[in-house]
Amino acid sequence: MASAGITLRPINEDLSVSPLLSDGPRNPHCSGDSIMIYLAVPGASMIPMRVMECDSIASVKLRIQSCKGFVVKNQKLVFDGRELSRNHSLIRDYGISDGNVLHVVIRISDLRVITVKTACGKKFKFHIERGRDVQYVKRQIAMTGNPFGELQNQELIFDGEELDDKRIIHDICKNNDAVFHLIVRKSVKVRSKPIERDFELSVVAALPEEDGDSNDFQVTTKKAPGKDVWIEPVLGNPKVELPQVIRDLLHAALAGLEKGHPPIMSSEGTGGAYFMQDLSGDEFIGVFKPIDEEPMAENNPRGLPFSTNGEGLKRGTRVGEGALREVAAYILDHPLSGHRSFSHVDIGFSGVPPTVMVKCLHGVFNHRAGFEHGPKHFKIGSLQMFVKNCGCCEEMGPRAFPVQEVHKICVLDIRLANTDRHAGNILITREGEEGPLMLVPIDHGYCLPENFEDCTFEWLYWPQSRQPFNSETIDYIQSLDAEQDIALLKFHGWELSRECSRTLHITTMLLKKGATRRLTPYDIGSILCRETINKESKIEEIIHEANSTVLPGASEAAFMESISQIMDRYLDELSI
Ligand SMILES: Nc1ncnc2c1ncn2[C@@H]1O[C@H](COP(=O)(O)OP(=O)(O)OP(=O)(O)O)[C@@H](O)[C@H]1O
């Protein structure tokens, strides 16, 4: 994203010094007054910072990086309930003035890349969640199937020190460049055999099975705490039949909880997101996001303030509706073969992981008022299948991504008018070491907004978005039907508001008209996004014009007809 292109320059240690003394990448035409703002960082006291009103958000983030060490791309700034997501916009564009407080949310990657080197020079790479311990790494080594990998024979050395099994990865390595040295400790047995008056001593390397309990591979688990933990689907309509993939996910999550493997809170994100574990405790299988832990909801664990007007972190969304939107993105991600009917194909055209609304009970969730076992402490939220990944698009240059993988996400984001498509919300997977890269879109809690003010698409800056859709994608786009989609969501229990329905009608219309004219995802996506915070996007202009054209009290159909005509005129000009 834009932050990637910022040049780093050292600045004064003290954030409250005059902005004229500090040296960020400022607007050359910057003039006007300096103001004092305050940064609220969870776990720290309020930090004063002097800025100019014409400073860019990027420059403020850069100063926070220089003084506090939080890398720019891991920072999220929130002011007055809104994320300051446009790096090139200015402090004054967001209405920030003297004495205001900016909330800083720091995203820390959950995964560490660890290289394990054997004595004979073999290397293995593992992506390990930072909350795991050394024994977990050993189990991953054992699972490679190599003979030296037997768990009980392993010794891991880092920085000249043998690592204790209980040590946590985060405490051992802060970056992705850690190399653990694997020493295979063959235990030996000394046997003595009497030969006349002497003894023959023989030293025998023990076979793994002789070395005790092969159940070492099993995770030691706490006793299952019975009904103190629970998870079950929440269906908006009893007629909805859950697909097998979701039923399997729910069974696996319940088995993990009952075995005593707690949900593990992610260190990333602005809301509470919890990794659900399987029966063995070796695998994450799902991500649970409770609605009351969304940004600005009452139990948000990241220190964000409570929303005063109910509006979410992005304009046109509502606090507490993130889970609905997550599930809607899955339901609307129809497979290539046709409308999602919830009976056969699990993954849709854009690859949104299977997602379902659930209620879940566990003491690890964030309860400000304290936790007691019982029905009132059930949390409702979305459960999404965990996707094994090797990182997200923030960690890799976009050129490596296959065009079709990018296009399938463009189609989804345009349809859903996504207001939160940054590179961290696209996971990268690949089959084997050399297989082609695949992209998996996640985090759809801010799609289908009531208006287009905050639409942002990271892929607008990627070269693939300037290439035309292929014919398969165009056919898919032409098969979309907003009316049917709204009915499908209603069948699942979510009746879209008039505003959100309108959004879906407009985006589907735009996508279809654009694809007919062979416009690229970039051409179409740019129509939905503002270039700067205060300059309306083309779609907003079209809506204004339509509003001024139709008579007061005209029907929604008349309004949409007007949108259609204005859109045709604009797109025809664009495609000349
Ligand atoms: N389906 C999934 N499979 C694997 N990892 C996931 C999945 N969904 C989310 N994650 C990971 O969980 C963490 C938190 O998730 P996410 O970013 O969606 O939370 P959030 O609070 O909604 O974030 P944001 O601040 O970007 O809106 C991230 O590290 C993300 O990569």
Side-chain angles (χ1 to χ4, degrees):
M1 183 109 175
S3 61
I6 294 168
T7 340
L8 302 183
R9 286 191 230 162
I11 63 155
N12 200 304
E13 263 292 292
D14 183 358
L15 285 167
S16 65
V17 294
S18 156
L20 302 172
L21 295 176
S22 65
D23 184 19
R26 292 227 154 82
N27 181 343
H29 310 294
C30 192
S31 63
D33 292 335
S34 75
I35 55 171
M36 184 70 91
I37 58 171
Y38 296 87
L39 304 176
V41 184
S45 50
M46 205 69 95
I47 304 166
M49 180 180 185
R50 189 162 284 285
V51 295
M52 303 291 281
E53 288 177 320
C54 52
D55 275 343
S56 67
I57 299 303
S59 78
V60 172
K61 287 184 174 173
L62 188 55
R63 292 180 66 198
I64 298 172
Q65 170 177 298
S66 304
C67 287
K68 294 285 153 199
F70 307 131
V71 177
V72 165
K73 70 173 185 179
N74 292 342
Q75 295 176 31
K76 277 196 176 187
L77 301 183
V78 176
F79 168 63
D80 199 16
R82 186 179 196 187
E83 186 191 336
L84 313 182
S85 50
R86 294 170 196 271
N87 281 325
H88 293 307
S89 290
L90 310 182
I91 281 282
R92 67 164 162 248
D93 294 339
Y94 279 106
I96 300 165
S97 57
D98 200 42
N100 284 158
V101 175
L102 262 56
H103 290 264
V104 185
V105 181
I106 305 299
R107 297 170 48 235
I108 307 165
S109 175
D110 282 307
L111 291 178
R112 288 272 178 279
V113 180
I114 292 179
T115 307
V116 174
K117 232 175 164 177
T118 67
C120 56
K122 265 196 165 187
K123 276 191 195 167
F124 298 89
K125 236 180 206 161
F126 297 99
H127 290 84
I128 307 280
E129 293 86 22
R130 47 204 284 282
R132 299 286 193 179
D133 60 13
V134 169
Q135 197 190 35
Y136 177 81
V137 181
K138 289 185 176 175
R139 282 203 297 275
Q140 302 306 304
I141 299 170
M143 279 185 220
T144 59
N146 286 288
F148 56 77
E150 299 289 354
L151 194 70
Q152 66 274 36
N153 297 336
Q154 297 178 27
E155 205 168 273
L156 287 175
I157 312 286
F158 178 64
D159 250 1
E161 188 195 333
E162 183 183 346
L163 295 173
D164 186 88
D165 280 359
K166 299 246 165 338
R167 284 194 61 191
I168 302 296
I169 295 308
H170 171 67
D171 298 333
I172 301 168
C173 40
K174 303 285 176 215
N175 303 313
N176 285 334
D177 50 8
V179 179
F180 288 6
H181 293 273
L182 174 67
I183 293 180
V184 181
R185 197 182 343 108
K186 284 272 178 209
S187 54
V188 293
K189 283 191 176 152
V190 179
R191 288 185 184 145
S192 64
K193 189 166 91 185
I195 302 176
E196 296 181 352
R197 292 171 62 197
D198 292 328
F199 287 92
E200 181 185 277
L201 287 183
S202 54
V203 178
V204 185
L207 294 172
E209 311 72 275
E210 294 177 54
D211 242 359
D213 189 357
S214 58
N215 280 340
D216 277 352
F217 286 92
Q218 302 294 319
V219 197
T220 39
T221 56
K222 287 184 250 150
K223 196 174 166 297
K227 293 285 177 246
D228 293 344
V229 296
W230 190 249
I231 187 162
E232 68 179 49
V234 174
L235 300 179
N237 175 356
K239 291 197 190 118
V240 168
E241 208 182 302
L242 288 177
Q244 192 57 43
V245 66
I246 286 186
R247 278 189 266 152
D248 292 346
L249 172 61
L250 288 161
H251 282 142
L254 183 59
L257 289 175
E258 290 191 330
K259 189 77 180 164
H261 302 302
I264 297 179
M265 185 164 138
S266 163
S267 49
E268 286 192 57
T270 39
Y274 296 84
F275 298 118
M276 310 298 287
Q277 310 194 60
D278 71 350
L279 182 67
S280 71
D282 278 340
E283 302 279 344
F284 289 159
I285 46 164
V287 181
F288 174 56
K289 296 188 181 177
I291 54 176
D292 68 334
E293 297 193 28
E294 285 176 16
M296 298 192 301
E298 57 170 321
N299 280 315
N300 177 263
R302 318 276 186 195
L304 285 172
F306 194 64
S307 172
T308 47
N309 59 2
E311 187 159 45
L313 213 48
K314 307 285 177 167
R315 289 279 192 264
T317 63
R318 310 217 65 79
V319 175
E321 286 188 359
L324 278 175
R325 292 181 153 83
E326 293 268 9
V327 176
Y330 175 62
I331 293 173
L332 296 188
D333 182 20
H334 308 299
L336 257 183
S337 56
H339 210 251
R340 179 175 292 291
S341 61
F342 255 165
S343 56
H344 23 330
V345 185
D346 298 330
I347 299 293
F349 175 78
S350 302
V352 177
T355 314
V356 62
M357 192 69 85
V358 295
K359 65 182 196 180
C360 184
L361 180 70
H362 202 289
V364 299
F365 300 134
N366 198 41
H367 297 268
R368 263 187 211 184
F371 173 76
E372 287 158 34
H373 291 294
K376 83 174 168 119
H377 281 113
F378 268 104
K379 295 242 177 185
I380 298 202
S382 58
L383 175 71
Q384 184 168 80
M385 179 174 282
F386 182 86
V387 178
K388 277 200 176 149
N389 61 84
C390 46
C392 65
C393 290
E394 236 166 27
E395 291 150 24
M396 196 183 270
R399 282 185 193 277
F401 309 146
V403 174
Q404 189 54 22
E405 289 299 295
V406 175
H407 282 190
K408 69 183 198 187
I409 292 173
C410 302
V411 169
L412 181 78
D413 288 343
I414 293 171
R415 275 180 77 201
L416 303 183
N418 197 350
T419 58
D420 196 23
R421 178 60 74 216
H422 59 79
N425 284 340
I426 305 176
L427 300 177
I428 302 175
T429 66
R430 89 182 317 158
E431 261 173 49
E433 292 270 301
E434 301 298 323
L437 293 181
M438 283 174 292
L439 304 184
V440 180
I442 57 163
D443 206 358
H444 300 112
Y446 293 116
C447 64
L448 289 174
E450 290 169 6
N451 59 57
F452 291 92
E453 208 176 318
D454 270 347
C455 272
T456 39
F457 307 140
E458 174 71 21
W459 45 259
L460 280 182
Y461 310 99
W462 297 353
Q464 296 86 340
S465 74
R466 302 210 180 220
Q467 295 197 32
F469 290 125
N470 66 19
S471 56
E472 189 182 65
T473 307
I474 294 177
D475 289 346
Y476 176 78
I477 291 172
Q478 297 309 349
S479 74
L480 297 171
D481 181 327
E483 207 50 59
Q484 277 185 20
D485 286 344
I486 291 164
L488 184 64
L489 290 180
K490 190 171 175 191
F491 175 72
H492 281 266
W494 189 22
E495 182 144 14
L496 282 186
S497 68
R498 185 167 158 270
E499 292 77 11
C500 297
S501 301
R502 186 179 266 190
T503 298
L504 186 59
H505 273 295
I506 293 175
T507 52
T508 309
M509 180 190 281
L510 175 67
L511 192 56
K512 292 173 95 159
K513 286 181 188 288
T516 306
R517 290 168 173 82
R518 299 287 187 267
L519 294 180
T520 63
Y522 173 83
D523 296 328
I524 304 171
S526 305
I527 295 171
L528 294 178
C529 297
R530 291 184 173 197
E531 269 174 46
T532 63
I533 184 115
N534 292 326
K535 185 176 179 310
E536 291 202 333
S537 60
K538 194 69 212 172
I539 201 71
E540 290 173 295
E541 285 175 21
I542 292 173
I543 292 170
H544 282 316
E545 194 178 330
N547 266 325
S548 60
T549 313
V550 293
L551 294 171
S555 66
E556 187 65 12
F559 173 77
M560 286 309 297
E561 181 48 37
S562 172
I563 291 272
S564 172
Q565 285 173 14
I566 302 166
M567 199 183 274
D568 277 338
R569 204 182 63 219
Y570 175 70
L571 294 179
D572 286 343
E573 280 166 21
L574 196 68
S575 39
I576 290 171

